[in-house]
Amino acid sequence: MVKDVRRTVEIAAATADDSGTLDALLATFESSIDRVRRLRATQRPDASDDERLVRWAQGPRQQARRVLIVADKLPRRDTDGPLLSHIAALRGLGWTIELVASAELARGEAAAAGLKAWGVTCHRAPQVASVEEVLRRKRNDYDMVYIAGTDNTRVYAPLARIWQSKARIVACIDDIGPPTLSAMRMVDATIVHTSDNADRLRTMAPGATIHIVPWVAHTLVGSGKKRPFQGIGFIGQEGAAWFADVVMPLVWARDPDIACVFAGPSRSGDPRIQFVPDTDTMLSIVRATAAIGPNSLILDSFAAGVPSVLTPAAAASLALSKPLRSTIVETEADMADMLCDIYHQPALRGRFARAGLALARDCYTEAAAEAAMTVAVGSGSSRVGARLARAG
């Protein structure tokens, strides 16, 4: 029988004359393999094999728990630090991780390669054509489905209930509004990043299961590091033009020698605007940073001992301590003044740097994320939420 199957496969592969037929064959073969594996798992070992019989009698070995992460796109460090932090926490807890990106099934090769090197299996085209296909083909294979974002939760949580009926369904909510409540009703637990957001959701949905799982700050260093370059960095991509065109002229009005530093390819002819290869390089050479929207790299700035001046929107996703709240500004003029003050006043810069480092070390570490994730996935207890609340 095995020879007949092998011959049939060889003939089918040899006669396939287009990519569509090959894709259909792949889907058929993978579905058949899944069925055979499930059937094999139910079979008692051959009694003539003493070693296998003993193993069977002792019971099945503990299998690593499997989670499917559903996201819009493949995560990158500069834009998707929270999701990468949660992936790292799950890896640290021993989960086997698979990921499908609904809007990026056939793009993002570099990001997919990075995740693969990290041990994450990415479901990609042409092997799969949709999130629904992964959920259906891998029916009841997962112990948990983690869905990133309100919109994704509303679309895919009902499908996860159908095809992964034994799995814990968890949503990580990135915004709070009327659609959030309907999304929360579809899942077993909701993850947020700050105690403020958790309190808001508990007020909106009394009795809902809500967990705080923080981001992870990278590259913790001493705050006394001397910085050879005299510049101010900008965190993120969105708003970069506004910062260069609106805020920096106000900075230059006070001190024309302060350089503006961006991470990424050069796109300006102004000699006062410098470009460096990546965020890590930028954080190693600037005295302060600015951010106008939510971004996990703000935590990296704190962890590098670099104070960051924030708009209310940028600060909303962080559990800032009282000293750091004074770095929140309402207008571009306020931002320029605060950046200049931090740049020129070592004592002020040091105070904010120490406060940022303390926040990163107390609340945004890998250990804190893993402890909080343990609770979110259904076991254990954690005091991370209390620490985040105290930080605020």
Side-chain angles (χ1 to χ4, degrees), residues 66-69 96-100 120-123 138 142:
R66 299 178 65 192
V67 56
L68 176 68
I69 295 176
T96 297
I97 303 170
E98 301 178 21
L99 185 146
V100 57
V120 177
T121 299
C122 294
H123 294 285
K138 301 283 187 177
Y142 300 107

Side-chain angles (χ1 to χ4, degrees), residues 225-265:
K225 181 178 179 181
K226 293 183 179 180
R227 305 191 181 281
F229 192 83
Q230 308 301 304
I232 291 171
F234 182 79
I235 293 174
Q237 300 298 322
E238 184 177 353
W242 171 84
F243 184 76
D245 295 340
V246 177
V247 177
M248 284 309 301
L250 299 175
V251 171
W252 290 325
R254 287 185 53 176
D255 186 342
D257 295 327
I258 297 178
C260 176
V261 185
F262 292 98

Side-chain angles (χ1 to χ4, degrees), residues 125-360:
Q127 284 74 26
V128 299
S130 65
V131 175
E132 295 91 331
E133 183 179 350
V134 177
L135 291 168
R136 174 179 53 79
R137 184 188 295 176
K138 301 283 187 177
R139 183 171 187 171
N140 288 331
D141 273 4
Y142 300 107
D143 300 285
M144 181 171 69
V145 178
Y146 171 116
I147 308 176
T150 300
D151 291 340
N152 275 337
T153 301
R154 296 173 70 191
V155 173
Y156 297 116
L159 298 175
R161 288 288 184 210
I162 295 171
W163 298 110
Q164 305 297 324
S165 60
K166 299 178 181 179
R168 181 175 177 83
I169 312 298
V170 175
C172 183
I173 299 301
D174 53 2
D175 54 6
I176 297 178
T180 307
L181 289 178
S182 62
M184 291 173 63
R185 295 188 186 103
M186 301 175 183
V187 300
D188 298 311
T190 300
I191 290 175
V192 294
H193 299 116
T194 69
S195 58
D196 287 347
N197 283 345
D199 290 342
R200 290 175 62 191
L201 288 181
R202 289 183 182 118
T203 300
M204 294 168 61
T209 302
I210 300 168
H211 300 285
I212 306 169
V213 182
W215 305 345
V216 175
H218 300 90
T219 320
L220 286 163
V221 300
S223 61
K225 181 178 179 181
K226 293 183 179 180
R227 305 191 181 281
F229 192 83
Q230 308 301 304
I232 291 171
F234 182 79
I235 293 174
Q237 300 298 322
E238 184 177 353
W242 171 84
F243 184 76
D245 295 340
V246 177
V247 177
M248 284 309 301
L250 299 175
V251 171
W252 290 325
R254 287 185 53 176
D255 186 342
D257 295 327
I258 297 178
C260 176
V261 185
F262 292 98
S266 177
R267 53 186 182 273
S268 173
D270 191 325
R272 297 172 297 183
I273 298 178
Q274 307 292 329
F275 290 85
V276 295
D278 51 48
T279 302
D280 288 340
T281 302
M282 180 186 75
L283 292 176
S284 73
I285 61 177
V286 298
R287 289 186 176 182
T289 60
I292 69 167
N295 198 307
S296 62
L297 294 177
I298 298 169
L299 287 175
D300 289 359
S301 184
F302 291 160
V306 181
S308 192
V309 179
L310 311 172
T311 64
S317 59
L318 298 169
L320 296 179
S321 58
K322 185 176 180 179
L324 293 174
R325 289 179 183 174
S326 60
T327 65
I328 301 173
V329 296
E330 296 287 346
T331 68
E332 51 264 32
D334 292 339
M335 177 171 280
D337 287 341
M338 179 64 72
L339 287 169
C340 287
D341 290 344
I342 292 172
Y343 181 88
H344 285 294
Q345 299 177 31
L348 182 66
R349 186 166 65 249
R351 177 155 58 90
F352 289 146
R354 289 189 294 274
L357 276 167
L359 183 71

